[in-house]
Amino acid sequence: MAPGESIVDKFRLHGRVALVTGGSRGIGRAIALSLAEAGADVVLASRNLPDLEAVAHEISQKGRKALPVSANVRHLAEIGNLVKKAVDEFGRIDVLVNNAGTNVVFASIFSIDEAAWDAILGLNLRGYFFLSQAVGKVMRESGGGSIINVTSVDGIRPRIGAGCYSISKAGIIMLTQVLAQEWGQYNIRVNGIAPGVVRTRFSEALWGNRVIRERTEDSAALGRIGEPEEIGGAAVFLASEASSYMTGHTIIVDGGHFSSVRTLLSTIAPKK
Ligand SMILES: NC(=O)c1ccc[n+]([C@@H]2O[C@H](COP(=O)([O-])OP(=O)(O)OC[C@H]3O[C@@H](n4cnc5c(N)ncnc54)[C@H](OP(=O)(O)O)[C@@H]3O)[C@@H](O)[C@H]2O)c1
């Protein structure tokens, strides 16, 4: 570190521009607000513009600029338009957070039809791939950047009943490794965040079900599910110089979820 420079300075994002997909609510909104608090201006993308405008207002109250852009990141034309608007407004993109994701069905593999496969993989994997490709070109021109792919613990350990989603999230972990290897030469770092169950609209089928929630809480070392704000710290770390020697890896943020070990232990040492 240079004399007079503090480790805290390495987490600062002043003068940086971040693009966050799914920035209107849940984990994406929390990440966007965290990046803005660390100093970044933020381009927010999702399909519903009024929701984005509300988050943009929160960011402007923190003294940062925000550009809300309505974009369905399944579609290449909308990806192109999104990146063009970001560059027209700010001239650069330093941080990309691929976050908008979906799971349209809880079903066994035999029940997954082509439409469900296309809906899940089309957003979770194809969308991440082509937005990374478009933003990667901008970053290569400007000398580098940081890409953060929000995956899931379900991409590491399969979630039965959400097999297609698990496959898509495992694909994101490999996408992260491939991009990191290809783009290290351009000073573009690519890392992932794998959350466990976090309280958002997306995961309400899990935490809104008492039995599933209690099983999830019991199998986490911290004994609870996560809040969206608890993902923001990992995002600021990966976006910033604090992680300057890290690429190709995925940080797990799941409250210490080791289901088989804890479930076994709870049978012989029940909670008081
Ligand atoms: N919550 C969890 O427990 C959990 C755990 C592990 C991983 N994750 C991952 O975290 C990410 C965010 O999930 P979340 O829980 O925050 O979900 P959420 O609260 O439902 O938010 C999803 C966001 O994505 C946007 N979006 C959905 N489809 C889109 C599309 N086609 N194009 C552009 N934007 C789109 C939504 O806005 P619009 O609907 O207006 O477009 C919204 O802003 C996902 O990748 C998810 O797989 C979540």
Side-chain angles (χ1 to χ4, degrees):
M1 255 183 305
E5 198 183 27
S6 115
I7 183 64
V8 177
D9 292 327
K10 290 194 174 286
F11 287 84
R12 297 190 207 285
L13 294 171
H14 297 84
R16 308 277 174 85
V17 177
L19 191 167
V20 182
T21 69
S24 64
R25 61 173 189 264
I27 291 171
R29 171 180 170 276
I31 288 176
L33 292 172
S34 298
L35 296 176
E37 268 179 39
D41 296 326
V42 185
V43 181
L44 300 157
S46 73
R47 292 167 299 180
N48 186 323
L49 191 58
D51 289 352
L52 291 174
E53 286 169 343
V55 181
H57 180 67
E58 289 183 85
I59 289 175
S60 65
Q61 285 186 321
K62 294 179 186 295
R64 308 290 162 222
K65 291 183 195 150
L67 176 69
V69 180
S70 172
N72 185 336
V73 291
R74 289 177 189 285
H75 302 310
L76 264 62
E78 297 196 32
I79 284 175
N81 180 53
L82 167 62
V83 174
K84 182 177 182 313
K85 281 191 168 159
V87 173
D88 285 351
E89 179 74 15
F90 293 111
R92 55 192 296 123
I93 303 170
D94 302 292
V95 178
L96 166 65
V97 183
N98 278 310
N99 164 78
T102 192
N103 179 32
V104 296
V105 65
F106 285 105
S108 72
I109 292 297
F110 283 128
S111 314
I112 300 283
D113 60 16
E114 189 181 10
W117 171 272
D118 288 346
I120 297 168
L121 274 288
L123 180 59
N124 296 8
L125 197 50
R126 188 174 180 274
Y128 279 38
F129 179 92
F130 284 107
L131 183 56
S132 297
Q133 188 186 67
V135 173
K137 289 176 184 168
V138 175
M139 290 177 167
R140 184 179 58 181
E141 285 299 303
S142 62
S146 172
I147 297 177
I148 301 167
N149 292 323
V150 178
T151 173
S152 168
V153 291
D154 297 349
I156 300 167
R157 299 178 290 258
R159 184 178 290 277
I160 305 306
C164 205
Y165 176 77
S166 292
I167 292 165
S168 74
K169 291 295 181 177
I172 291 169
I173 293 170
M174 181 51 68
L175 174 69
T176 299
Q177 296 182 34
V178 169
L179 296 184
Q181 289 302 323
E182 285 211 11
W183 293 352
Q185 63 185 312
Y186 306 119
N187 193 32
I188 301 172
R189 298 185 299 108
V190 189
N191 292 290
I193 300 174
V197 176
V198 174
R199 193 190 313 272
T200 68
R201 189 190 299 179
F202 166 78
S203 58
E204 194 167 354
L206 304 179
W207 57 262
N209 177 307
R210 187 179 58 81
V211 176
I212 298 175
R213 190 183 64 247
E214 286 178 1
R215 276 292 279 275
T216 306
E217 289 169 346
D218 192 45
S219 63
L222 296 182
R224 61 180 178 83
I225 64 169
E227 300 298 331
E229 296 70 27
E230 295 184 281
I231 309 299
V236 171
F237 170 65
L238 292 176
S240 69
E241 282 302 301
S243 61
S244 56
Y245 194 49
M246 181 171 169
T247 194
H249 293 286
T250 293
I251 299 177
I252 298 172
V253 186
D254 71 346
H257 184 93
F258 293 101
S259 56
S260 55
V261 178
R262 290 191 65 81
T263 305
L264 202 66
L265 279 177
S266 66
T267 60
I268 55 171
K271 279 191 206 162
K272 288 187 184 131

